[in-house]
């Protein structure tokens, strides 16, 4: 699936004519390696630690011609462990977007393809959404229709292994809403109407997982050069077809804050979301996360950072939950010519769904190369014009 997405993305990029003021392209490649004391985040009787090597790659390309714009973004990551008992981690995502129209009236299409394979998760998603938006004065009206096909397989506390076959389901969603925009501030409301239908009427445990959901939202955001804040609040109401699953009624939220002052940058995030699960006695999980990161630009080349986070996963209709707390320190040094060296140290401590305690220490170093040919070309053109003037 991911290979086909990358091929489609290549065709989109190939269709873009040679670089102009309305074309953009950026990419990065990071090579990393280090040691993970607990790569499968298990208790003391786990597989032990392991050295690892990894690769992270990302790219984004965009083209705008009048009222038409095309874009593609892709990212992929791989982690390979020296310990033969440690499962390699693989993930990839491709997002293709097209938009037709102006700021006052437009329609856009977004296609997302994602795959993840780790020691405790195997998932794939194909999502297609179409959004129409109209602006009347300070008011913005919008409606989004979305369809998705997903596959999910997870390990669990009862069987300690993946299911014999992944759970596959279809999702349909309709999101109408409106917002009021004034300057750098926006506030609005929407409602998310969705349904899920599984390929098999009964899962491997004999449960019906089909469900319908209603989720009204209120949201607001403010964005300035050095300060931005966004927030949303929603009430999820879900109805499941299986009588052994309780209907869900819970409050969800998401907020982000970014603040930069002089050499300091602060990022804070808090969210509470509902996620799918294959756990036999739970309809969904309610996940929450709280993270903070403080960065200090010591010199134009050297940046130091410290971060902390806390995450929880609650399995509804069961006594099970999981918790993880992390602390991380890092540094990055700009070598010039779009190269950078990085060093990161992360400590994680948590309580697993089984009730066991686990901790892990991860030390890694990396080298990153960024690619931005259009920016370089623009800079060269600028130098050329100055030279001609001289």
């Amino acid at each position: 699936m991911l290979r086909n997405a990358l091929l489609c993305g290549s065709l989109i990029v190939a269709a873009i004519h040679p670089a102009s003021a309305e074309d953009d392209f950026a990419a990065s490649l990071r090579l990393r390696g280090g040691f993970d004391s607990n790569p499968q985040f298990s208790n003391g009787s786990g597989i032990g630690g392991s050295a690892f090597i990894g690769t992270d790659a990302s790219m984004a390309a965009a083209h705008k011609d009048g009222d038409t714009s095309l874009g593609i973004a892709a990212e992929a990551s791989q982690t390979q462990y020296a310990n033969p008992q440690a499962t390699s981690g693989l993930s990839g995502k491709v997002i293709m977007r097209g938009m037709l129209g102006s700021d006052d009236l437009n329609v856009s299409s977004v296609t997302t393809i994602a795959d993840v394979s780790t020691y405790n998760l195997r998932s794939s998603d194909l999502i297609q959404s179409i959004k129409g938006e109209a602006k009347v004065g300070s008011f913005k009206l919008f409606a989004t229709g979305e369809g998705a096909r997903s596959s999910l397989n997870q390990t669990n506390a009862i069987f300690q292994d993946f299911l014999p076959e992944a759970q596959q389901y279809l999702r349909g969603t309709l999101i109408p809403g409106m917002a009021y925009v004034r300057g750098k501030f926006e506030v609005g409301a929407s409602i998310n109407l969705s349904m899920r239908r599984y390929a098999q009427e009964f899962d491997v445990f004999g449960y019906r997982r089909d469900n319908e959901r209603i989720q009204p939202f209120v949201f607001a955001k403010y964005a300035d050069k050095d300060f931005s804040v966004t927030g949303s609040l929603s009430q999820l109401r879900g109805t499941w077809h299986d009588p052994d699953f309780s209907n869900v009624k819970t409050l969800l939220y998401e907020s982000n804050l970014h603040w930069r002052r002089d050499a300091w940058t602060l990022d804070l995030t808090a969210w509470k979301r509902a996620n799918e699960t294959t756990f036999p006695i739970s309809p969904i999980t309610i996940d929450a996360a709280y993270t903070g990161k403080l960065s200090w630009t010591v010199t134009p080349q050297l940046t130091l950072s410290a971060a902390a986070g806390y995450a929880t996963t609650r399995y509804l209709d069961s006594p099970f939950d999981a918790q993880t707390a992390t602390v991380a320190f890092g540094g990055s040094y700009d070598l010039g010519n779009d190269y950078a060296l990085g060093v990161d140290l992360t400590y994680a401590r948590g309580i697993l769904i089984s009730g066991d305690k686990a901790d892990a220490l991860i030390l890694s170093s990396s080298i990153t190369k960024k690619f931005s040919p259009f920016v370089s070309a623009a800079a060269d053109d600028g130098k050329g014009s100055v030279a001609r003037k001289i």
Side-chain angles (χ1 to χ4, degrees):
M1 181 182 292
L2 190 58
R3 181 183 301 172
N4 293 336
L6 290 173
L7 176 59
C8 293
S10 299
L11 293 176
I12 290 178
V13 175
I16 297 175
H17 59 70
S20 72
E22 294 185 290
D23 292 339
D24 201 4
F25 177 86
S28 69
L29 175 65
R30 182 172 70 148
L31 305 179
R32 52 186 169 82
F35 182 83
D36 188 339
S37 68
N38 193 351
Q40 296 191 176
F41 205 56
S42 58
N43 59 20
S45 59
I47 64 172
S50 176
F52 67 87
I53 57 173
T55 305
D56 304 311
S58 63
M59 63 82 70
H63 170 67
K64 181 174 176 60
D65 186 3
D67 289 339
T68 303
S69 63
L70 300 172
I72 179 172
E75 60 182 29
S77 178
Q78 178 182 18
T79 303
Q80 185 75 41
Y81 296 94
N83 187 335
Q85 297 184 67
T87 304
S88 300
L90 298 168
S91 67
K93 178 184 286 188
V94 176
I95 301 174
M96 292 173 284
R97 184 176 189 273
M99 188 175 76
L100 176 65
S102 63
D103 292 340
D104 294 331
L105 181 64
N106 63 74
V107 61
S108 60
S109 171
V110 178
T111 304
T112 304
I113 302 174
D115 282 283
V116 176
S117 177
T118 67
Y119 72 94
N120 66 348
L121 172 66
R122 296 172 185 169
S123 69
S124 64
D125 296 282
L126 173 59
I127 306 170
Q128 176 63 56
S129 68
I130 297 177
K131 180 179 181 179
E133 185 176 284
K135 190 174 181 181
V136 181
S138 297
F139 290 92
K140 184 168 59 176
L141 306 175
F142 60 87
T144 301
E146 189 171 277
R149 181 185 183 278
S150 299
S151 174
L152 180 65
N153 201 345
Q154 299 167 304
T155 60
N156 61 77
I158 296 179
F159 294 97
Q160 301 293 318
D161 202 354
F162 289 102
L163 303 181
E165 59 183 38
Q167 293 182 358
Q168 300 183 21
Y169 61 93
L170 300 176
R171 173 174 61 84
T173 305
L174 179 64
I175 310 172
M178 67 179 298
Y180 175 76
V181 182
R182 187 176 181 85
K184 303 173 183 177
F185 178 75
E186 180 178 341
V187 61
S190 64
I191 184 168
N192 187 318
L193 308 171
S194 65
M195 59 183 292
R196 286 159 180 77
R197 293 294 182 266
Y198 280 75
Q200 301 294 331
E201 181 181 2
F202 298 94
D203 67 14
V204 295
F205 305 104
Y207 291 96
R208 291 186 178 94
R209 290 191 170 270
D210 292 351
N211 63 87
E212 292 84 31
R213 306 180 193 185
I214 299 176
Q215 190 175 359
F217 278 82
V218 291
F219 58 88
K221 63 180 180 181
Y222 175 86
D224 204 348
K225 179 181 179 182
D226 295 324
F227 177 80
S228 64
V229 59
T230 63
S232 67
L233 193 64
S234 65
Q235 178 77 50
L236 172 63
R237 296 173 179 264
T239 303
W240 267 256
H241 293 195
D242 198 299
D244 289 328
F245 287 149
S246 299
N247 293 331
V248 175
K249 181 180 178 182
T250 186
L251 188 68
L252 305 177
Y253 54 83
E254 185 157 354
S255 61
N256 296 275
L257 181 146
H258 173 80
W259 182 37
R260 185 173 66 180
R261 184 169 184 178
D262 299 328
W264 298 90
T265 302
L266 176 66
D267 290 286
L268 301 176
T269 300
W271 52 258
K272 185 179 180 183
R273 302 169 182 164
N275 284 317
E276 308 305 311
T277 183
T278 62
F279 195 61
I281 57 179
S282 296
I284 56 174
T285 64
I286 301 298
D287 301 343
Y290 312 90
T291 62
K293 181 179 180 181
L294 181 65
S295 301
W296 177 32
T297 305
V298 184
T299 69
Q301 292 77 31
L302 177 63
T303 300
L304 302 178
S305 64
Y310 179 71
T312 64
T313 298
R314 181 164 61 94
Y315 294 79
L316 298 188
D317 286 352
S318 83
F320 297 102
D321 63 11
Q323 308 167 33
T324 306
T326 58
V327 178
F329 300 93
S332 176
Y333 189 82
D334 188 350
L335 298 174
N337 296 319
D338 292 325
Y339 284 94
L341 290 176
V343 177
D344 296 280
L345 176 66
T346 302
Y347 175 73
R349 185 174 181 83
I351 299 176
L352 309 178
I353 185 176
S354 61
D356 295 328
K357 295 182 178 180
D359 58 8
L361 185 66
I362 306 169
L363 175 63
S364 67
S365 60
S366 63
I367 182 168
T368 303
K369 169 64 175 176
K370 295 182 179 180
F371 306 88
S372 50
F374 291 177
V375 173
S376 300
D380 290 341
D381 289 345
K383 291 178 182 178
S385 63
V386 172
R388 284 191 293 273
K389 290 178 182 178
I390 292 175

